[in-house]
Amino acid sequence: MEEKELTESESLLLIRQMIQKAKTDQKDDGRGWIIYGWLLFLASVLTLFNLRLHWMNAWFFWNVFGLMTIMAMLFQTVRFLFFPKRQQVRTYTKDLFSKLNTGFFISLLFIIVAMNINLSHMIGFPLLISLYAFWILIYGSLLNFKPSIIGAYLTWIIGLTALFAKTFEQIMLLHALGVLVGYIIPGHIAYREFNQLKKTENLSVGV
């Protein structure tokens, strides 16, 4: 069967659609940053209020956050093992993100375990904030996403400030501020830009 030759306008449209699709594939929708960021933010703020109002154990909200994180990881593991998605095209960026994600969570777990053994939480939380900033900078640099790059440096400044905090309340306040500027605000910006890009892609396909 002889293939139909594309006209010049059809070729240009196809190229435009491919470029738009490539742009979308290289974008992150920001939902992970939003969800994780708000959970961290709430854990910090609720702990701050708890320290003042003495609702319950000081670590109650962090234990809840940890339990939710474990449940989410188990859910993702079960979905990956028993309900695999259609195989997507692997790219260098996706492979790199996968490896960096693994490294980030191992480092995160390392600090959390150290805090539960003998590392002071007055030092542990600033170290966590610094780790957030490092990962945010990598993410922003790989995707050339300026809000994350700016957020990373602001998060580092907040982490450095936290090293000089005198009380755990101050630590919780700075931790909440760190995830706000590093995770939540860039996450919402990424989500908005991703949806705008998807709309543009859909419009170009419908032309």
Side-chain angles (χ1 to χ4, degrees):
M1 184 177 177
E2 191 174 324
E3 293 185 4
K4 178 186 173 183
E5 290 189 9
L6 296 175
T7 65
E8 182 178 352
S9 60
E10 288 174 335
S11 298
L12 290 173
L13 176 61
L14 180 61
I15 292 171
R16 188 162 67 245
Q17 290 173 356
M18 291 173 65
I19 292 173
Q20 198 68 35
K21 182 66 168 62
K23 286 181 179 179
T24 306
D25 288 343
Q26 291 302 313
K27 283 280 187 180
D28 179 44
D29 62 11
R31 283 184 297 181
W33 298 96
I34 293 170
I35 295 170
Y36 193 63
W38 276 113
L39 287 174
L40 285 169
F41 183 85
L42 286 173
S44 302
V45 172
L46 289 173
T47 298
L48 180 61
F49 281 112
N50 188 36
L51 290 170
R52 287 182 172 271
L53 301 176
H54 306 289
W55 291 329
M56 50 201 71
N57 180 278
W59 295 101
F60 174 80
F61 293 105
W62 283 108
N63 291 333
V64 172
F65 171 77
L67 182 62
M68 292 176 66
T69 302
I70 292 171
M71 291 174 63
M73 291 176 64
L74 288 174
F75 172 76
Q76 292 290 346
T77 302
V78 170
R79 191 172 69 168
F80 175 77
L81 292 175
F82 299 102
F83 305 97
K85 290 183 177 180
R86 180 175 58 85
Q87 187 67 28
Q88 296 181 341
V89 177
R90 295 179 63 181
T91 65
Y92 171 77
T93 303
K94 287 181 180 179
D95 282 345
L96 188 57
F97 267 131
S98 178
K99 291 180 176 65
L100 289 171
N101 265 325
T102 302
F104 170 76
F105 282 107
I106 289 174
S107 300
L108 187 68
L109 183 62
F110 186 90
I111 295 175
I112 292 173
V113 170
M115 288 173 64
N116 280 275
I117 296 176
N118 57 14
L119 180 66
S120 168
H121 55 266
M122 298 294 290
I123 298 298
F125 275 98
L127 289 177
L128 286 176
I129 297 171
S130 176
L131 181 62
Y132 300 159
F134 181 63
W135 172 227
I136 295 165
L137 179 65
I138 292 173
Y139 163 86
S141 299
L142 282 174
L143 296 184
N144 193 28
F145 188 58
K146 288 185 179 180
S148 284
I149 296 174
I150 295 170
Y153 287 111
L154 291 175
T155 304
W156 257 315
I157 292 172
I158 293 168
L160 181 63
T161 304
L163 287 173
F164 299 94
K166 301 299 182 182
T167 67
F168 189 44
E169 291 182 2
Q170 293 174 352
I171 289 289
M172 287 294 94
L173 182 61
L174 289 167
H175 186 271
L177 183 60
V179 296
L180 178 66
V181 301
Y183 282 11
I184 297 173
I185 293 177
H188 280 285
I189 294 173
Y191 183 76
R192 185 187 64 192
E193 291 187 2
F194 183 84
N195 286 329
Q196 288 175 345
L197 198 59
K198 287 290 287 184
K199 287 179 182 178
T200 305
E201 180 185 327
N202 292 334
L203 286 173
S204 65
V205 170
V207 173

